Amino acid sequence: MIQTTPRPAGSIPITLLESPLGKVRIDPAPGGAPLAIDQFGRRINYLRISLTDACNLRCVYCMPEDMQFMSRADLMRDEELLTLVRVAASLGVNKVRLTGGEPSIRPNVVEIVRAIAQTPGITDLAMTTNGLLLEKMAGPLAQAGLKRVNISIDTLNPEKFHTITRWGHVDDVWRAISAAEAAGLLPIKLNSVVVRNFNDREDMIDLARLTLENEWDVRFIEMMPFGEITDFQQTNVVTYAEMKQRIEAVFGPLEETTYDYVDPSRPFRIAGAAGTLGFISSVTEPFCQGCGRVRLTADGKLRLCLLREDEVDLLTPLRQGATFAELQQLMLDGAYHKPWGHGLAQGLVAGNRAMNQLGG
Ligand code: SAM
Ligand code: SF4
């Protein structure tokens, strides 16, 4: 846990040093509150919330099979979570993504979506999901105000899908994609974590081929090391360069499409394809300069960088009666200390949490 030392008064930097963002515009946050901005001038406008660390799958790259989940008492209750979203929104956060664990298994998830969608200042609300429950839930979630979903699918091969997820059925994900399209949760983004010797050959090609006919964005993710399975994750990572090379060997040179430096996915298109391909190269070519994200863990800690252990406890002060203004100050001070980037190249791995507690 980091010390929540105050950010220096009146010293919010206005320009970023050497960065594709160039000058940072300081917009007032809703309600005239101070804006969450970090020591490097990055505006913090994106909150990713792990609704639960529990999951109905056990993907090999995410958690061990015998993963122990948090007790219910340790998780944020609905009203606590919504209070923290209001605090974040009052400081200029306008984008929220719900993740997990598997966010769709959280009780009351539709009502949580509705309440967040109605929070003043929140203009974009999305979810990352394995899709297992989406066939039934896509409609209600969309009606409650969810705008988009990212659906995880690491291979189209039913047997390999079963192996990677330890017991999942890929047909459930196909149904999820159809349900999400029917509910208007667009554009559809499909996430695939590429793992050496699991899905790094024809599986990538099959997924890339989907973009020829469908207006989907298929994103290949470099596997990141966390928690207790870092040996497996580091040994079996497939780099962005390698993935791109394999796809180009089949489809020819990929065309670059507009890169906004804020989305972590580097976007490309197979010539003539309806959809796009993206690569999330967090390990080998991180995108820290455009990162305006902070995360809320299921147990109410503000995680300042996915790949660093730095966190600020918000739930304990909230349960001890902290006021809205005090929570705002904790969040501002925490956000100010957001680290520039991860330390994987220096061998620093954030081992205090597994991916399912952070949500990606
Ligand atoms: N259960 C949901 C799902 O799988 O989409 C949401 C939570 S999951 C932790 C969020 C994203 O993180 C998924 O796209 C998943 O594939 C990705 N992910 C999990 N473990 C990862 C790892 N070690 N490295 C990179 N991405 C990972
Ligand atoms: Fe569950 Fe998502 Fe982790 Fe897979 S990646 S085990 S679906 S939380």
Side-chain angles (χ1 to χ4, degrees), residues 194-226:
V194 181
V195 185
R196 193 169 303 284
N197 299 328
F198 276 82
N199 62 340
D200 60 333
R201 301 275 163 178
E202 65 276 14
D203 314 86
M204 272 200 321
I205 304 304
D206 293 344
L207 283 161
R209 192 173 285 114
L210 293 177
T211 67
L212 295 177
E213 304 278 323
N214 301 288
E215 286 182 31
W216 299 340
D217 182 21
V218 174
R219 298 131 57 95
F220 298 102
I221 305 175
E222 285 181 346
M223 182 164 50
M224 294 177 273
F226 293 95

Side-chain angles (χ1 to χ4, degrees), residues 267-334:
F268 293 89
R269 190 184 293 276
I270 297 172
T276 50
L277 290 179
F279 298 93
I280 304 187
S281 55
S282 322
V283 177
T284 60
E285 290 186 35
F287 35 84
C288 310
Q289 74 275 20
C291 181
R293 296 175 196 81
V294 286
R295 293 170 168 81
L296 196 53
T297 63
D299 56 348
K301 311 285 188 297
L302 188 72
R303 175 88 166 194
L304 304 176
C305 168
L306 181 59
L307 288 155
R308 293 270 186 184
E309 295 188 356
D310 311 42
E311 294 178 354
V312 177
D313 185 1
L314 297 175
L315 186 57
T316 306
L318 177 58
R319 287 187 175 171
Q320 288 170 346
T323 64
F324 195 84
E326 286 166 343
L327 292 167
Q328 276 183 319
Q329 199 56 51
L330 280 173
M331 221 181 252
L332 279 177
D333 293 341

Side-chain angles (χ1 to χ4, degrees), residues 72 74 108 181 224 234 262 273 290 293 338 354:
R72 200 153 182 176
D74 290 333
N108 293 336
E181 281 193 316
M224 294 177 273
Q234 288 185 307
V262 175
R293 296 175 196 81
K338 179 175 163 63

Side-chain angles (χ1 to χ4, degrees), residues 61 99-102 128-129 152 191 193 222-224 233 355 359:
Y61 48 73
T99 171
E102 178 46 43
T128 301
T129 171
S152 295
N191 287 350
V193 178
E222 285 181 346
M223 182 164 50
M224 294 177 273
Q233 289 158 327
M355 184 58 143

